[in-house]
């Protein structure tokens, strides 16, 4: 889970009160929605959710101090300068929460004893099916859902015993699942009784402090499969609102209980909430629901509960479900820029926006937001340049509206560095590239060629800026010290320009790199504040140096005497230009032996040294280069995996989609050569399909917008058929001779794509 700004607060009319509004009445909610903010219960909800963000990373670095960043609650009409205290991501570990935010153990009332077991329930159910007499089952459901106490009496293990733990919900999960799985197959009378009892329970529990048993009852009710039906949405909405308004301590319990659910049940719960939001936004039958203007809290409440599930998913390693399963594609069809501007305008105040919960917004929708935000910045800066020119009574020209880069091919890196340094003020203008001495108008092809050639040269091993790790098939920053880190800034600027100009790069950085790029997601105003320092774990090291990570993992699990058998200290050695240099991992590290007791600290400090401290100057230059172009609050909507997709594209390859979107020059899609081509490509294994894409476009990844955004083209080549196909990667164009047979085409195409030089790889 990742966080942006604190969530909106509930309307004053949405606070707990003596009586819940009539649940089955259309006009039950306030018409003002989220326009006014309460001053109580919701002020720290998002702050609490944000504390979950780096639980996994903090687990290996518990000794590091973590500071809570208080939200800025001022409403601003003009977006303030991008600095650390504006809508900053908060990275607070659960372990470092202040006492007032940690879950407290509340006194629990005496629960009635219910002796029915899962086996008893199954026996009653079989009898009812055989005899047609459902009275016993009817009475069971009637009693069980009568109140929160009865829910606990039925499903809670060791009903009145006290166990001080947050991890265990103490719910008989098998019994609960059996009761819910059976519910939908029972008669309508039983199902109606259950819903009526839930209504009564919600009415009774609407006010007053919550006990842990109350929270447990909410947890049980969220799993009711009846809430998948739109006919129950009014009740479901009130349940979600009550859960959303629970205290942070209660949310703390729920998050830990959610993460203990099975993958199947967890996914059902997520899908149910996403469907609820979608159908509330775009109802198939609008008459089924109250007017949206009178119940805007439906959507905000559901989204806040979904945030608890996202937090729970993030705590799991590996996650229960992919982060993409939280995307709601329905949001792709709303006014995203209005959502973004609402978030920008109101900042940390009470106005709800989906941008406060970016995990629910798809990467495609985020790309739209980033592109439009980039376009607005481009237009604004170009307009300012024009105004400045006119105010000085100078004749304006079209070139002033663009970032014009002129480079020589033989001095590509130095010229590019000079141009980008000299034209730093123009980085947010539309990019146009010219190669000196070559005629040509940049319609996109020259720009892409410039990127491809620069990346290939900078990432070449002989250049020494990056180290290629064969085991992980990725690059990492060289730790060699140098006098000038400007070329690392150039690489960061290139990545920023690629995102800003919607160009996919063939770069192989591990996810850890993108996590560091978002640490913090906005450039701090204080230049002395460290940047690019992210909590790192053994999993991060596995992505870069799997062999070393495996060795450290073996050290952690070693059964013998670490001090006597390994004879290591808190000191590491690195070779730099033929010289071995030593570095202490902590003060006096060369005199501190690694023992069974301190080996976890040693491993964590070693990982932090490799991924943070030893490359700090290199990465900080890279960080500032990237953010010199992409300094935008829109970056706060992204998680590290999404930044990687924006820069490098998606690894998911759909050849059928590529076939549907392909354009042709000199061929028709019905021509025999074209049909041979697709028969061959569709029969290729995934590895060869990716090689084909890399051969034709310079990258084996797909843009965020899918295959249609590639503008892939197959052109007829007039060369003899004994020639191999050729590609113009700058234009995503494959030139294909008119081969006579499928066998010949397959042979020639396989040779071509298997022996092409790649960009950015050794």
């Amino acid at each position: 889970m990742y966080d942006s700004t604190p969530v909106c607060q509930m309307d004053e009319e949405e606070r707990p009160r003596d009586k819940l509004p009539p649940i089955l009445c259309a006009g039950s909610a306030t018409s003002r929605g989220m326009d006014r903010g309460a001053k109580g219960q919701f002020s720290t909800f998002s702050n609490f959710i944000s504390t979950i963000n780096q639980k996994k990373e903090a687990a290996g670095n518990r000794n590091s101090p973590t500071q809570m960043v208080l939200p800025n609650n001022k409403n601003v009409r003009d977006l303030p300068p991008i600095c650390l205290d504006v809508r900053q991501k908060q990275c607070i570990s659960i372990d470092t929460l202040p006492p007032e935010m940690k879950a407290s153990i509340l006194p629990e009332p005496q629960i009635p004893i219910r002796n029915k077991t899962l086996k008893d329930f199954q026996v009653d159910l079989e009898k009812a099916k055989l005899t047609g007499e459902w009275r016993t089952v009817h009475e069971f459901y009637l009693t069980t859902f009568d109140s929160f106490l009865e829910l606990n009496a039925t499903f809670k293990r060791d009903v009145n015993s006290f166990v001080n733990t947050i991890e265990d919900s103490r719910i008989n999960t098998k019994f609960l699942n059996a009761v819910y799985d059976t519910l939908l197959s029972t008669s309508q009378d039983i199902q109606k009784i259950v819903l009526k009892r839930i209504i009564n329970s919600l009415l009774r529990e609407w006010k007053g402090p919550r006990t842990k048993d109350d929270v447990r009852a909410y947890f049980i009710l969220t799993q009711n499969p009846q809430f998948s039906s739109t006919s129950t949405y009014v009740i479901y909405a009130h349940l979600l609102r009550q859960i959303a308004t629970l205290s942070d301590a209660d949310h703390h319990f729920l998050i830990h209980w959610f993460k203990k659910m099975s993958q199947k049940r967890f996914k059902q719960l997520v899908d149910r909430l996403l469907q609820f939001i979608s159908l509330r936004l775009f109802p198939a039958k609008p008459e089924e629901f109250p007017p949206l203007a009178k119940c805007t809290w439906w959507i905000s409440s559901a989204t806040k509960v979904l945030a608890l599930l996202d937090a729970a998913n993030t705590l799991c390693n590996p996650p229960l479900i992919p982060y993409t399963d939280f995307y709601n594609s329905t949001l792709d069809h709303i006014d995203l820029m209005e959502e973004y501007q609402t978030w920008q305008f109101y900042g940390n105040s009470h106005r709800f926006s989906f941008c406060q919960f970016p995990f629910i917004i798809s990467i495609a929708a985020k790309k739209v937001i980033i592109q439009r935000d980039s376009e607005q910045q481009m237009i604004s800066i170009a307009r300012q340049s024009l105004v400045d020119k006119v105010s000085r009574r100078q004749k304006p020209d079209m070139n002033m509206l663009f970032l014009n880069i002129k480079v020589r091919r033989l001095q590509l890196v130095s010229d590019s560095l000079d141009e980008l340094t000299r034209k730093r003020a123009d980085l947010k203008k539309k990019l146009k590239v010219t190669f000196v001495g070559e005629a040509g108008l940049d319609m996109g092809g020259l720009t892409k060629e410039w990127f491809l050639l620069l990346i290939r040269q900078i990432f070449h091993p002989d250049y020494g800026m990056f180290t290629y790790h064969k085991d992980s098939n990725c690059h990492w920053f060289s730790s060699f010290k140098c006098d000038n880190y400007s070329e690392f800034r150039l690489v960061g600027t290139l990545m920023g320009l690629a995102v800003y100009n919607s160009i996919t790069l063939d770069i192989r950085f591990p996810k850890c790199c993108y996590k560091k790029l978002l640490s913090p997601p906005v450039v701090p105003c204080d230049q002395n504040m460290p940047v690019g320092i992210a909590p790192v774990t053994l999993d991060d090291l596995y992505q870069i140096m799997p062999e070393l990570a495996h060795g450290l993992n073996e050290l952690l699990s070693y059964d013998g005497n670490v001090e006597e058998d390994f004879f290591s200290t808190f000191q590491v050695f690195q070779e730099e230009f033929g010289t071995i240099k030593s570095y202490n991992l902590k003060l006096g590290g060369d005199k501190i032996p690694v023992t069974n007791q301190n080996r976890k600290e040693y491993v964590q400090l070693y990982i932090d040294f490799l991924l943070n401290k030893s490359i700090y100057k290199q990465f900080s230059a890279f960080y500032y280069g990237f953010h010199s172009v992409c300094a935008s609050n829109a970056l706060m909507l992204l998680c590290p995996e999404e930044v990687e997709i924006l820069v490098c594209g998606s690894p998911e390859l759909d050849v059928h989609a590529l076939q549907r979107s392909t354009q042709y020059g000199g061929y028709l899609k019905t021509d025999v050569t074209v049909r041979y081509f697709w028969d061959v490509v569709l029969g290729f294994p995934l590895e060869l399909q990716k090689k084909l894409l890399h051969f034709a476009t310079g990258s084996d990844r797909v843009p965020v917008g899918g295959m249609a955004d590639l503008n892939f083209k197959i052109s007829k080549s007039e060369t003899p058929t004994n020639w191999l196909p050729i590609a113009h990667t700058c234009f995503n164009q494959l030139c294909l001779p008119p081969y006579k047979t499928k066998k010949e085409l397959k042979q020639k195409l396989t040779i071509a794509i298997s022996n092409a030089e790649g960009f950015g790889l050794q």
Side-chain angles (χ1 to χ4, degrees):
M1 204 277 295
Y2 49 101
D3 179 41
S4 54
T5 67
V7 302
C8 72
Q9 300 172 6
M10 300 295 286
D11 191 286
E12 288 181 357
E13 295 188 15
E14 297 169 26
R15 297 179 186 173
R17 55 195 113 167
D18 292 338
K19 189 174 181 181
L20 194 65
I23 290 184
L24 299 178
C25 294
S28 61
T30 173
S31 61
R32 291 195 300 275
M34 306 305 294
D35 290 342
R36 296 175 57 196
K39 295 183 175 68
Q41 224 165 348
F42 252 102
S43 61
T44 60
F45 178 86
S46 181
N47 293 343
F48 170 73
I49 289 300
S50 66
T51 68
I52 309 302
N53 190 29
Q54 297 187 356
K55 169 68 176 173
K56 291 181 291 185
E57 293 86 343
N61 194 20
R62 296 180 189 274
N63 295 327
S64 300
T66 308
Q67 183 179 3
M68 182 186 300
V69 183
L70 297 177
N72 176 9
N73 288 319
K74 294 182 179 179
N75 295 344
V76 288
R77 291 199 170 276
D78 294 317
L79 189 65
I82 296 176
C83 58
L84 195 62
D85 59 349
V86 180
R87 292 182 291 282
Q88 180 183 358
K89 282 189 177 181
Q90 300 169 43
C91 306
I92 309 172
S93 165
I94 289 176
D95 298 322
T96 58
L97 284 174
E100 64 271 16
M101 289 182 67
K102 287 191 176 181
S104 57
I105 304 299
L106 302 174
E108 300 180 5
Q110 194 73 11
I111 297 175
I113 302 297
R114 299 286 178 243
N115 296 319
K116 190 178 287 291
T117 64
L118 171 58
K119 186 175 181 180
D120 295 334
F121 175 74
Q122 291 171 335
V123 169
D124 291 342
L125 192 63
E126 288 302 317
K127 286 182 180 178
K129 291 178 180 178
L130 290 173
T131 64
E133 176 54 58
W134 289 84
R135 181 179 176 182
T136 305
V137 177
H138 186 283
E139 289 179 351
F140 169 79
Y141 279 106
L142 186 148
T143 303
T144 298
F145 289 91
D146 182 62
S147 66
F148 281 12
L149 278 181
E150 288 291 348
L151 284 170
N152 279 275
T154 302
F155 298 115
K156 183 179 176 182
R157 303 190 312 269
D158 305 321
V159 173
N160 286 308
S161 64
F162 179 79
V163 181
N164 187 0
T165 176
I166 192 173
E167 295 291 336
D168 186 6
S169 67
R170 296 173 61 198
I171 289 174
N172 188 333
T173 304
K174 289 184 178 179
F175 193 7
L176 176 64
N177 291 341
V179 170
Y180 274 145
D181 289 343
T182 303
L183 179 57
L184 293 182
S185 61
T186 59
S187 68
Q188 288 296 314
D189 289 341
I190 293 179
Q191 294 188 43
K192 287 179 181 178
I193 284 174
V194 170
L195 291 173
K196 287 179 181 178
R197 295 292 175 168
I198 292 175
I199 293 172
N200 292 335
S201 297
L202 293 176
L203 285 167
R204 279 195 298 269
E205 303 299 335
W206 180 234
K207 66 174 294 185
R210 300 289 191 266
T211 67
K212 190 174 178 182
D213 283 332
D214 293 331
V215 180
R216 188 178 290 108
Y218 283 124
F219 178 66
I220 291 170
L221 291 177
T222 59
Q223 300 175 58
N224 189 339
Q226 290 178 290
F227 293 134
S228 295
S229 170
T230 56
S231 62
T232 65
Y233 273 12
V234 174
I235 306 171
Y236 192 33
H238 283 283
L239 170 63
L240 296 175
R241 179 164 69 171
Q242 290 192 23
I243 294 173
T245 54
L246 291 173
S247 69
D248 290 328
D250 295 333
H251 287 150
H252 197 48
F253 280 120
L254 286 173
I255 287 171
H256 281 270
W257 295 346
F258 282 138
K259 76 185 180 72
K260 294 294 185 179
M261 294 177 67
S262 69
Q263 182 186 45
K264 175 186 174 183
R265 304 282 174 176
F266 187 87
K267 182 69 163 60
Q268 288 173 347
L269 194 49
V270 171
D271 290 344
R272 192 175 299 136
L273 283 163
L274 291 173
Q275 176 183 280
F276 176 85
I277 294 170
S278 298
L279 292 178
R280 178 62 278 194
L281 284 171
F282 300 103
K285 298 178 180 179
E287 65 275 5
E288 286 187 328
F289 308 130
L292 183 58
K294 292 187 177 182
C295 57
T296 54
W297 54 269
W298 281 32
I299 293 174
S300 59
S301 297
T303 307
K304 291 163 189 171
V305 175
L306 196 62
L308 299 177
L309 290 162
D310 179 68
N313 193 55
T314 304
L315 281 180
C316 299
N317 187 16
L320 284 171
I321 59 177
Y323 71 93
T324 53
D325 283 357
F326 284 89
Y327 287 165
N328 190 329
S329 57
T330 304
L331 302 186
D332 296 357
H333 305 288
I334 66 174
D335 190 338
L336 295 168
M337 288 311 294
E338 182 180 354
E339 287 289 319
Y340 180 65
Q341 288 160 4
T342 296
W343 175 59
Q344 298 245 87
F345 185 85
Y346 288 95
N348 294 339
S349 69
H350 56 274
R351 185 70 176 269
F352 174 81
S353 167
F354 282 112
C355 290
Q356 295 165 332
F357 303 89
F359 62 84
I360 199 175
I361 305 175
S362 71
I363 181 63
K366 288 172 185 172
K367 183 184 178 184
V368 171
I369 293 174
I370 291 172
Q371 280 183 331
R372 292 182 183 175
D373 187 56
S374 300
E375 289 168 2
Q376 289 175 1
Q377 292 187 48
M378 286 179 181
I379 292 170
S380 176
I381 292 177
R383 182 186 294 119
Q384 186 60 47
S385 297
L386 184 62
V387 170
D388 291 345
K389 203 87 168 178
V390 172
S391 65
R392 292 195 297 267
R393 297 187 179 183
Q394 297 175 348
K395 183 179 179 181
D397 61 88
M398 289 299 295
N399 285 330
M400 63 183 294
L401 303 179
F402 299 93
L403 168 60
N404 293 288
I405 301 295
K406 295 183 179 180
V407 293
R408 296 166 293 178
R409 289 186 182 270
L410 295 180
Q411 285 81 32
L412 189 64
V413 175
S414 59
D415 283 1
S416 299
L417 182 60
D418 291 343
E419 285 281 270
L420 292 175
T421 302
R422 187 164 54 87
K423 299 177 179 178
R424 189 172 296 176
D426 295 334
L427 291 178
K428 293 196 174 186
K429 295 179 181 179
K430 185 69 176 176
L431 177 63
K432 283 190 176 294
V433 176
T434 303
F435 287 96
V436 175
E438 300 180 20
L441 184 62
D442 186 8
M443 302 300 291
L446 294 178
T447 294
K448 185 175 179 183
E449 183 182 10
W450 177 67
F451 275 111
L452 292 174
L453 293 176
L454 259 181
I455 292 299
R456 179 170 61 177
Q457 190 165 334
I458 288 173
F459 281 84
H460 195 280
D462 293 344
Y463 212 72
M465 289 178 62
F466 298 93
T467 302
Y468 178 69
H469 296 272
K470 291 182 179 180
D471 292 344
S472 57
N473 190 32
C474 73
H475 287 92
W476 191 241
F477 295 78
S478 170
S479 60
F480 293 167
K481 304 297 184 291
C482 59
D483 297 329
N484 189 350
Y485 296 95
S486 57
E487 290 183 347
F488 286 98
R489 186 178 181 110
L490 169 63
V491 180
T493 304
L494 279 176
M495 277 183 53
L497 286 172
V499 172
Y500 204 65
N501 290 271
S502 300
I503 292 173
T504 300
L505 298 181
D506 186 32
I507 293 179
R508 293 293 185 269
F509 280 135
K511 188 182 76 171
C512 175
C513 172
Y514 302 98
K515 181 164 62 174
K516 288 164 66 67
L517 266 182
L518 295 178
S519 300
V522 289
V523 178
C525 297
D526 183 0
Q527 294 297 312
N528 294 320
M529 183 173 291
V531 296
I533 299 293
V536 288
T537 66
L538 200 57
D539 288 340
D540 294 313
L541 189 62
Y542 262 112
Q543 297 172 12
I544 307 168
M545 309 170 197
E547 188 174 343
L548 175 59
H550 178 74
L552 292 176
N553 194 44
E554 289 290 312
L555 172 65
L556 291 175
S557 59
Y558 185 66
D559 293 331
N561 189 309
V562 171
E563 182 177 2
E564 293 181 359
D565 296 345
F566 286 86
F567 202 68
S568 297
T569 63
F570 278 69
Q571 187 180 47
V572 294
F573 301 90
Q574 283 192 335
E575 181 181 353
E576 296 180 10
F577 302 109
T579 303
I580 303 296
K581 293 190 176 182
S582 62
Y583 298 91
N584 287 345
L585 297 178
K586 59 189 298 187
L587 187 63
D590 57 326
K591 297 180 177 61
I592 302 174
V594 179
T595 66
N596 292 65
Q597 290 71 37
N598 64 18
R599 57 184 170 181
K600 287 185 179 179
E601 180 189 10
Y602 169 78
V603 168
Q604 184 56 43
L605 290 174
Y606 194 5
I607 295 169
D608 185 62
F609 173 79
L610 290 174
L611 304 187
N612 280 325
K613 293 179 180 177
S614 67
I615 59 162
Y616 177 74
K617 291 184 178 180
Q618 294 89 325
F619 197 90
S620 62
F622 175 77
Y623 172 94
Y624 281 115
F626 180 80
H627 286 273
S628 67
V629 185
C630 290
S632 167
N633 287 325
L635 275 184
M636 297 177 66
L637 302 177
L638 303 173
C639 66
E641 294 88 348
E642 291 171 330
V643 178
E644 180 181 13
I645 290 174
L646 282 178
V647 173
C648 307
S650 170
E652 302 298 326
L653 181 59
D654 184 350
V655 179
H656 290 282
L658 179 64
Q659 182 182 11
R660 289 192 297 270
S661 60
T662 297
Q663 304 169 25
Y664 299 94
Y667 283 121
L668 298 175
K669 65 179 180 180
T670 55
D671 286 348
V672 65
T673 303
V674 172
R675 285 190 280 114
Y676 286 161
F677 174 82
W678 289 116
D679 287 345
V680 167
V681 172
L682 290 171
F684 273 162
L686 180 61
E687 181 184 1
L688 281 181
Q689 290 176 344
K690 289 197 168 189
K691 284 186 175 182
L692 169 64
L693 191 64
H694 195 283
F695 175 75
T697 68
S699 173
D700 62 2
R701 291 184 165 227
V702 182
V704 173
M707 290 297 188
D709 280 6
L710 271 179
N711 295 317
F712 180 62
K713 185 176 183 179
I714 297 177
S715 297
K716 188 173 185 178
S717 173
E718 299 301 335
T719 57
T721 55
N722 61 340
W723 283 38
L724 298 176
I726 60 173
H728 300 295
T729 55
C730 300
F731 300 100
N732 298 336
Q733 184 178 12
L734 178 69
C735 297
L736 194 66
Y739 298 114
K740 302 300 182 183
T741 66
K742 185 190 298 186
K743 181 179 179 181
E744 183 183 18
L745 187 148
K746 181 178 181 179
Q747 180 187 27
K748 295 290 196 299
L749 184 62
T750 303
I751 293 173
I753 65 177
S754 299
N755 294 277
E757 180 185 5
F759 292 114
L761 294 177
Q762 190 177 21

